[in-house]
Amino acid sequence: MQTFKFSKMHGAGNDYIYVNCFEEKVENINETAKAVSDRHFGIGSDGLVLICPSDVADFRMDMYNSDGSQAEMCGNATRCVGKYVYDRGLTDKTQITLETLAGIKILDLNVKDGEVQTVCVNMGSPELVPKNIPIDSNLDRFISEDVEVDGKVYKVTGVSMGNPHAVTFIDDTDSLEIEKIGPKFETHKLFPKKINTEFAQIVDRNTIKMRVWERGAGETLACGTGACATMVAANLNDLVDDEADLVLLGGTLHIKWDKNENKVYMTGPAKFVFDGTITI
């Protein structure tokens, strides 16, 4: 048995349980992540995020999916960590550095009336070399390549934003049976570490609708790294310009790919839901 305090927060509907590990200790993390994420028997979330001290940045974020597996990075979670540490007085800086398994991210906090409203995250450079994503391919880039999934051929573009993404463009995201096709993409033999899959619909050159199937979590209302990967993939396929609004089930994220810096910037909301204490 263990007891710890937590906060539930979400970024565009992508909800996680956050634990301040400056004050709390979480044991048996993988099983704990599964337990707290359960929407019937636990708190209910897409996963667990631990906010920890760092030797190389202002803070460190350790995150786990709802199936207990550890993930490298989550853009929506980074924004919530930024809001948490500022609103709770762990820092008074409006630009902070955050250590993740995908490297150090820089967060610019938009503060109004003493609280963080939105956060702009420098998500770093997109990785386009298939073996580094990873995708089992000898190509230099994996852009609009044919991939057969469950008997149907999809045009897929591979991008890593610290975690692997396969982006495919479809005509209508609303009618997509994502719970059927998502797992088939996730476990496809092309993707040795499994894959996050974005099903994107181009509205115009500045707007993309998107649904996402995340490794270890299933469909989520938003995915920050997935929105960034989708923006990059759409630009590589000449479907959008260098920045666009990504409309997800849980809200809208603004993504900009600065080609001069080769950096992707994500701006979006971070919302507090409630605090609590759990014994498991």
Side-chain angles (χ1 to χ4, degrees):
M1 299 279 285
Q2 60 175 323
T3 300
F4 56 86
K5 296 178 181 179
F6 68 88
S7 296
K8 182 168 180 174
M9 303 178 73
H10 76 88
N14 192 191
D15 60 339
Y16 287 90
I17 305 306
Y18 294 80
V19 179
N20 177 359
C21 289
F22 286 82
E23 299 177 355
E24 304 291 325
K25 183 178 180 180
V26 178
E27 300 172 347
N28 197 7
I29 298 173
N30 304 87
E31 291 301 315
T32 297
K34 289 197 287 186
V36 299
S37 299
D38 192 293
R39 296 190 184 275
H40 298 287
F41 299 102
I43 304 165
S45 69
D46 292 325
L48 172 68
V49 174
L50 308 181
I51 303 172
C52 308
S54 171
D55 294 329
V56 295
D58 294 318
F59 301 95
R60 188 179 86 244
M61 177 181 84
D62 291 342
M63 64 167 299
Y64 297 82
N65 297 314
S66 57
D67 69 349
S69 60
Q70 189 168 18
E72 300 93 337
M73 170 62 182
C74 171
N76 293 313
T78 62
R79 298 199 311 276
C80 289
V81 170
K83 178 175 176 63
Y84 185 99
V85 297
Y86 184 91
D87 288 3
R88 302 300 174 100
L90 275 70
T91 185
D92 59 1
K93 298 195 294 186
T94 56
Q95 183 180 84
I96 63 171
T97 54
L98 182 65
E99 179 188 358
T100 76
L101 286 181
I104 296 175
K105 306 303 176 186
I106 300 172
L107 284 59
D108 286 294
L109 314 179
N110 175 29
V111 178
K112 184 178 180 181
D113 298 327
E115 293 187 355
V116 172
Q117 304 298 316
T118 61
V119 179
C120 178
V121 184
N122 179 343
M123 299 287 285
S125 302
E127 175 61 70
L128 303 176
V129 177
K131 67 179 182 180
N132 297 334
I133 292 175
I135 297 175
D136 188 9
S137 169
N138 293 321
L139 296 171
D140 293 333
R141 289 187 176 188
F142 202 88
I143 299 175
S144 196
E145 296 294 331
D146 288 348
V147 177
E148 184 176 337
V149 182
D150 201 26
K152 181 179 177 180
V153 176
Y154 295 81
K155 295 287 189 182
V156 172
T157 298
V159 181
S160 174
M161 291 301 308
N163 50 8
H165 294 272
V167 182
T168 186
F169 298 96
I170 62 176
D171 293 331
D172 179 22
T173 56
D174 292 337
S175 62
L176 176 69
E177 294 183 306
I178 195 170
E179 68 282 351
K180 292 183 179 180
I181 193 62
K184 302 289 181 65
F185 266 93
E186 179 181 356
T187 58
H188 194 283
K189 62 183 180 181
L190 263 179
F191 311 120
K193 291 188 176 181
K194 298 188 178 181
I195 201 79
N196 302 290
T197 308
E198 284 71 42
F199 301 90
Q201 174 186 342
I202 302 298
V203 178
D204 55 45
R205 290 195 68 85
N206 300 107
T207 312
I208 306 171
K209 287 179 67 177
M210 183 186 108
R211 290 174 69 182
V212 58
W213 184 269
E214 292 198 53
R215 291 180 306 174
E219 184 174 24
T220 57
L221 295 182
C223 174
T225 57
C228 294
T230 299
M231 165 66 207
V232 170
N235 183 271
L236 290 171
N237 285 281
D238 195 27
L239 299 172
V240 299
D241 298 322
D242 290 347
E243 57 185 296
D245 288 329
L246 277 289
V247 181
L248 303 104
L249 295 180
T252 299
L253 301 175
H254 186 78
I255 311 297
K256 178 181 179 180
W257 185 10
D258 188 318
K259 295 284 191 63
N260 292 326
E261 297 182 352
N262 191 29
K263 302 291 185 184
V264 180
Y265 293 87
M266 173 192 63
T267 302
K271 301 290 186 182
F272 167 76
V273 183
F274 61 84
D275 288 327
T277 301
I278 189 170
T279 300
I280 54 177

